[in-house]
Amino acid sequence: VVVAALPVPLSYFPGSPANLWPTAGSSTAGAAANDAGLRTVGARRVELAIDGGRCSAWVCGDGPLVLLLHGFPDGPATFVHQLPALAAAGFRAAAVTLRGYEASSLPASGDLHVNRLAQDVFDAADALGEAGAFDLVGHDWGASIAYAAAALQPERVQTLTTLAVPHPAQFASALLDDTAQLARSSYLMAVQQVGTAEAHLRADGFAALQALWSGWSPRWTHSAAAFDAVRERFAMPGVLEAALGYYRQALDTTSEAGQASQLLYASPIEATALLLHGEEDGCIGADYVRRVAVPGALFRKGLRVQFLAGAGHFLHQELPASVNEALVKHLLAANRQEDGAPARSRPGSRVGS
């Protein structure tokens, strides 16, 4: 979850870095969500040029473009269930690897501010041949980036669908008054400890990252293969540091990039917006989301919030059928032609593969 505009000093959070991370548990067999799984569902891997590097994406289907942004600690394979469902509904779905989550996109300058991550979204769309409007989906950090992207170039984001994370300004709005959410968010203190956090997360084969999966989605029994893909990604040189850099640079309010990023989160969202959230989310509690994620001035066309019973933070993997149904319904409502099928193109776009 993004910590931009966090209205509380990190020292406010109880505990110390040594005890802020949960204890890892075991995982048993389930649906694997790795690169092999993405190929199995018919997705193809492509390389996309972004500012200062290249990122990979997995593409499935043909039609209006839907970009999907993963979160932390995760990768594009998290959308293994969504890509074929979107393709079947007539869309071209592309799950993009976030900047720094692979060697080819590690920024030489170290810049991982949200304003740059938001621009990456449009660079990826351009590289996929989409010069006009498209639909945007984000989970966890991907959701936080999606909110910023929708504010950065509102004319290009037709619909916004976010999973598990409310708008950062809304998230921060009542945090000081909610001790339960403060406790859930205490890991934010741990990730600020440069060097200490990296060492702890790498220990025992990234056991602490696996513990986050288990704690944030307590009812989900993920497969060993699913987490192996994450473990392999975070073992790549520079990836863990980059992922933690998202959290650290989100607190920057003084540099030019930091101020530009904060401004994006203060700007309204013009896109039709949907937030999907699990009732059992152990990262951001459903009760807290009900309190803060309300339609208002931030969402010019309104915000619809839908809660999924029995799902946690990784709701799109836990209850893929329910998430896919809500997602496709949201997209079709904005993209439908007279015959009920998605429009094949939009003004100013050049839809291709």
Side-chain angles (χ1 to χ4, degrees), residues 49-54 99 104-108 116 123:
I50 58 175
D51 181 37
R54 300 184 67 81
R99 179 181 290 275
S104 61
S105 64
L106 287 168
R116 184 175 196 183
D123 289 350

Side-chain angles (χ1 to χ4, degrees), residues 1-349:
V1 60
V2 73
V3 291
L6 197 67
V8 56
L10 291 174
S11 58
Y12 186 93
F13 292 109
S16 64
N19 60 25
L20 291 180
W21 304 99
T23 301
S26 61
S27 62
T28 57
N34 49 32
D35 288 0
L38 287 168
R39 292 190 177 92
T40 298
V41 300
R44 60 191 183 279
R45 187 180 187 277
V46 298
E47 293 280 339
L48 308 177
I50 58 175
D51 181 37
R54 300 184 67 81
C55 71
S56 61
W58 291 86
V59 183
C60 196
D62 180 49
L65 179 64
V66 182
L67 282 187
L68 300 97
L69 312 176
H70 66 84
F72 170 89
D74 216 340
T78 195
F79 294 116
V80 66
H81 302 296
Q82 283 66 56
L83 293 181
L86 290 168
F91 295 94
R92 179 167 56 119
V96 179
T97 306
L98 296 182
R99 179 181 290 275
Y101 276 69
E102 55 193 339
S104 61
S105 64
L106 287 168
S109 65
D111 181 14
L112 293 163
H113 287 88
V114 166
N115 66 327
R116 184 175 196 183
L117 302 175
Q119 181 56 48
D120 287 344
V121 173
F122 301 105
D123 289 350
D126 291 344
L128 285 164
E130 179 55 81
F134 55 90
D135 300 294
L136 188 56
V137 179
H139 172 249
D140 187 82
W141 252 107
S144 297
I145 296 168
Y147 289 120
L152 179 63
Q153 295 192 40
E155 73 282 359
R156 294 194 64 187
V157 180
Q158 176 157 295
T159 69
L160 176 66
T161 306
T162 51
L163 311 176
V165 172
H167 191 285
Q170 293 183 326
F171 172 77
S173 64
L175 192 56
L176 280 175
D177 301 325
D178 196 300
T179 55
Q181 186 54 49
L182 276 172
R184 293 187 191 96
S185 299
S186 60
Y187 74 96
L188 299 176
M189 178 181 174
V191 300
Q192 302 300 321
Q193 311 304 310
V194 178
T196 301
E198 284 86 341
H200 184 79
L201 291 172
R202 284 195 175 96
D204 301 322
F206 294 93
L209 290 185
Q210 188 168 6
L212 286 182
W213 272 34
S214 299
W216 289 354
S217 285
R219 294 192 181 187
W220 180 37
T221 302
H222 60 270
S223 70
F227 189 76
D228 282 346
V230 172
R231 181 184 289 111
E232 291 172 8
R233 181 171 300 280
F234 279 82
M236 298 175 185
V239 170
L240 177 60
E241 289 80 2
L244 296 184
Y246 281 40
Y247 289 95
R248 294 163 182 168
Q249 294 185 31
L251 294 179
D252 173 21
T253 60
T254 58
S255 73
E256 182 177 350
Q259 291 177 355
S261 298
Q262 298 296 329
L263 181 61
L264 289 176
Y265 285 139
S267 302
I269 302 295
E270 302 288 348
T272 304
L274 170 67
L275 168 62
L276 300 177
H277 202 87
E279 290 279 7
E280 306 297 328
D281 195 316
C283 180
I284 304 179
D287 288 344
Y288 187 70
V289 173
R290 285 190 173 88
R291 180 181 178 188
V292 301
V294 295
L298 270 175
F299 294 92
R300 293 282 177 83
K301 295 182 180 178
L303 168 67
R304 187 163 60 89
V305 183
Q306 182 176 336
F307 293 90
L308 277 68
H313 193 65
F314 296 91
L315 63 164
H316 56 298
Q317 293 202 55
E318 300 170 64
L319 297 177
S322 297
V323 169
N324 292 347
E325 179 181 7
L327 174 58
V328 169
K329 181 179 179 180
H330 180 56
L331 299 185
L332 286 179
N335 287 278
R336 186 175 293 120
Q337 298 182 132
E338 291 183 1
D339 62 1
R344 306 312 293 179
S345 63
R346 303 187 182 109
S349 68

